[in-house]
Amino acid sequence: MADLRVETADGIATVTLDRPDALNALTIPLKEALIDAFTTIAADREVRAIVLTGAGRAFCAGQDLQERLEPGAVPLDVELRDRYNPLVRAIRAAPQPVIAAINGVAAGAGASIAFACDLRIASDTARFVLAFGQIGLIPDSGATWTLQRLVGAAKAAEIALLNEPVSADEAARIGLVTRVVPAAELAREARALAVRVAALSPGAVAGTKEALEAGATSTFEEALELEARLQGEAGAHPDHGEGIAAFIEKRPPRFGRPAG
Ligand code: T3D
């Protein structure tokens, strides 16, 4: 698809939104290509980490507002159920960690998509703008769920209700991004993060994602039980033995593929 690039090398898939003239705003074909890309990559056992980024000066400006004005535009509830929700679900359900490399402004659903990722690293030129309020909408694509879990309810209410842009430095201060790097170093630093997580046991990483996701809404008892089940699976996988052997032999572990 012309507006989306997917490159895979050394176990890392890089997904790049590529409509720089429209600040990578999301059209129906682009959203569908993204859903396809995440679904395909999730099933690719050779891929151990995913980097999501934007071409040009923006990460993503959210819904393409030109498309919204076209005659016969899809009603918003349908658009959310058919495309935005499947997209953020696909990001969160991927067994591999998804790293948002936020190279510039992330607005509307572009911000929501960044919030849905597992890790966020930002260029010093990045900013988050919820933007929904200024066009008479409510935050969507999971932002009402993700944002308050990332920064706390009070800060999330401030960001969502005031529509104040959040600068890269402020995002780092409130824990919305892992760190901020100079723009010229973003791609390299995002890749370095991806290499770090890609070196871990893929099964353990997938289990960690699953447990964190479930733990966000479960009871303590449910979390304990899920940890017991997932740890049973992790403990029975050869990666556990390899991790212990590598520790004893004072060498880096060589983890294999996920079980199943
Ligand atoms: O609708 C549904 O299906 C429901 C789901 C909704 C999800 C959503 O995402 S709703 C929110 C949609 N997004 C926005 O409202 C953001 C609109 N954009 C902006 O507020 C600003 O452009 C930014 C804060 C993102 C960046 O500002 P700035 O000053 O750096 O850039 P700019 O000059 O405003 O934009 C540059 C170009 O990109 C410009 O085009 P031009 O004049 O050079 O031809 C602008 O029109 C275009 N652009 C920016 N955002 C969008 C866009 N074109 C289409 N859709 C956009 N969202």
Side-chain angles (χ1 to χ4, degrees), residues 110-159:
S112 308
I113 288 168
F115 302 157
C117 294
D118 298 299
L119 297 166
R120 280 157 295 283
I121 178 168
S123 118
D124 53 7
T125 58
R127 69 190 197 281
F128 296 90
V129 189
L130 267 232
F132 299 93
Q134 76 200 15
I135 56 166
L137 296 183
I138 69 152
D140 64 23
S141 307
T144 58
W145 192 92
T146 50
L147 184 60
Q148 56 185 321
R149 283 170 169 79
L150 291 168
V151 300
K155 200 71 202 172
E158 209 178 296
I159 295 169

Side-chain angles (χ1 to χ4, degrees), residues 23 25 57 61-65 68 76 79 84 109 132 134 140:
L23 304 189
R57 70 176 177 91
Q63 169 62 35
D64 187 303
L65 297 177
R68 266 273 138 245
L76 270 62
E79 189 56 27
Y84 282 104
F132 299 93
Q134 76 200 15
D140 64 23

Side-chain angles (χ1 to χ4, degrees), residues 115-224:
F115 302 157
C117 294
D118 298 299
L119 297 166
R120 280 157 295 283
I121 178 168
S123 118
D124 53 7
T125 58
R127 69 190 197 281
F128 296 90
V129 189
L130 267 232
F132 299 93
Q134 76 200 15
I135 56 166
L137 296 183
I138 69 152
D140 64 23
S141 307
T144 58
W145 192 92
T146 50
L147 184 60
Q148 56 185 321
R149 283 170 169 79
L150 291 168
V151 300
K155 200 71 202 172
E158 209 178 296
I159 295 169
L161 291 172
L162 299 179
N163 284 327
E164 277 286 319
V166 178
S167 69
D169 285 342
E170 170 74 350
R173 199 185 62 74
I174 63 177
L176 188 53
V177 300
T178 301
R179 65 200 185 95
V180 178
V181 298
E185 291 168 24
L186 179 70
R188 192 175 63 234
E189 293 296 330
R191 190 167 181 84
L193 261 189
V195 167
R196 264 178 70 183
V197 285
L200 301 172
S201 161
V205 167
T208 303
K209 271 191 75 161
E210 185 181 338
L212 286 173
E213 183 80 2
T217 50
S218 73
T219 64
F220 184 58
E221 282 304 319
E222 286 164 345
L224 291 179

